[in-house]
Amino acid sequence: MATIEQENDEKTRLVAALENLTSIDPKSLVRREELGADLHFEDGLPFFSRTLKLFNDLKNCSLDGISHNAVKQLAGSAEKALNEFKEIRDFSIQKHPQNAIDVRNQLIDKIRDQYDNYYNIITPHIAYSVRKGTDFELLENQARSTIETINKLKDEYLQDMDKLRSESQEILESMRRAAAEAGVSQHAIYFSEEADVQGKAANLWLVVTAIFGLATLAFAVYSVWFYSRADVIFS
């Protein structure tokens, strides 16, 4: 079993390699102006970008709790990738006067073909770090609390809507009676329209509340799904 000093040495080695990798701008590896139209690395840019992003994601993760052998493997992968990008930076027609195009293509293919290997090594640790840094129980409790609050608001809005409709109907009936007594029943239409407006407003609030409720429920289901998926990864 490794000592604390050995673990720290490997972590320092990994951090240094990741710092160097994440400082690389993938566009700077194209080198169109230096190498010209025939030898530039434009075709490799998508592969450079995704590999560097993968290591950047690792750099942003916590290394706490990762085993010594895992850190050692990650450090080896990071240094290997760094050397591959260094070969691209150092490539020149002077170094390869006989087969420059073939060498250029081989360097691009090497980055492309190594991605799956890097991905399989790195992503479990990214997933572990995300899972460790996320309180799924808290998220689930918050989601349940939000759903309960929305259901309570929904019930209150429904009660308010019923009350509003009842009051509107009473006002309408009262105005109709007053209008009939005054001989101006034709004005009752205005009060009927107002009652319709109030009813539509109440229905709109109900729809908005339902949408928020569904969105929150979807988030709760996603949280439980993600937690279960993380368990499968590390089981």
Side-chain angles (χ1 to χ4, degrees):
M1 181 176 291
T3 65
I4 296 298
E5 290 76 13
Q6 289 173 325
E7 291 183 2
N8 290 335
D9 287 344
E10 290 300 331
K11 286 181 180 179
T12 299
R13 176 184 162 209
L14 173 59
V15 169
L18 291 176
E19 288 289 346
N20 288 325
L21 276 172
T22 55
S23 68
I24 298 174
D25 179 357
K27 293 181 180 179
S28 69
L29 299 171
V30 174
R31 303 178 60 200
R32 180 182 292 272
E33 294 182 1
E34 299 175 54
L35 301 174
D38 295 330
L39 291 176
H40 63 75
F41 285 86
E42 183 75 36
D43 290 343
L45 184 57
F47 309 122
F48 305 158
S49 297
R50 72 177 184 180
T51 298
L52 289 171
K53 184 181 184 304
L54 184 63
F55 282 102
N56 186 68
D57 290 341
L58 177 62
K59 177 177 178 289
N60 293 328
C61 292
S62 170
L63 299 178
D64 294 339
I66 298 181
S67 71
H68 172 261
N69 287 337
V71 175
K72 187 174 182 179
Q73 185 182 35
L74 290 170
S77 297
E79 289 178 346
K80 182 178 180 180
L82 190 61
N83 287 331
E84 291 168 353
F85 285 119
K86 186 176 184 299
E87 286 183 302
I88 293 173
R89 278 179 164 174
D90 295 342
F91 171 83
S92 67
I93 192 171
Q94 290 78 14
K95 289 183 178 181
H96 309 282
Q98 303 299 324
N99 56 347
I101 293 179
D102 289 339
V103 172
R104 187 275 312 275
N105 292 339
Q106 290 171 9
L107 293 175
I108 293 176
D109 292 345
K110 188 184 297 185
I111 296 292
R112 180 198 64 195
D113 296 340
Q114 281 294 329
Y115 181 77
D116 284 350
N117 184 46
Y118 293 146
Y119 182 90
N120 292 333
I121 293 172
I122 292 172
T123 50
H125 301 290
I126 295 176
Y128 171 76
S129 178
V130 170
R131 180 184 178 219
K132 182 178 62 176
T134 304
D135 191 338
F136 290 98
E137 184 176 356
L138 176 61
L139 287 176
E140 184 177 357
N141 289 336
Q142 289 176 340
R144 292 181 184 276
S145 177
T146 302
I147 291 173
E148 290 175 0
T149 300
I150 289 178
N151 286 333
K152 182 179 178 181
L153 289 173
K154 180 194 69 175
D155 293 338
E156 291 177 357
Y157 280 127
L158 287 174
Q159 293 174 3
D160 290 342
M161 183 181 66
D162 291 338
K163 183 179 178 181
L164 182 60
R165 285 176 174 173
S166 178
E167 291 177 351
S168 299
Q169 189 64 32
E170 290 177 2
I171 293 172
L172 178 60
E173 291 300 327
S174 176
M175 296 307 299
R176 280 176 175 170
R177 288 194 298 269
E181 293 173 0
V184 288
S185 59
Q186 67 272 21
H187 293 294
I189 187 61
Y190 301 120
F191 298 101
S192 177
E193 291 175 353
E194 180 63 22
D196 290 340
V197 170
Q198 296 295 335
K200 290 179 180 178
N203 288 331
L204 176 61
W205 275 109
L206 177 60
V207 171
V208 171
T209 301
I211 291 173
F212 275 109
L214 290 174
T216 306
L217 182 60
F219 176 75
V221 171
Y222 171 78
S223 298
V224 173
W225 172 84
F226 186 87
Y227 181 78
S228 301
R229 183 172 176 269
D231 281 341
V232 170
I233 292 175
F234 295 103
S235 61

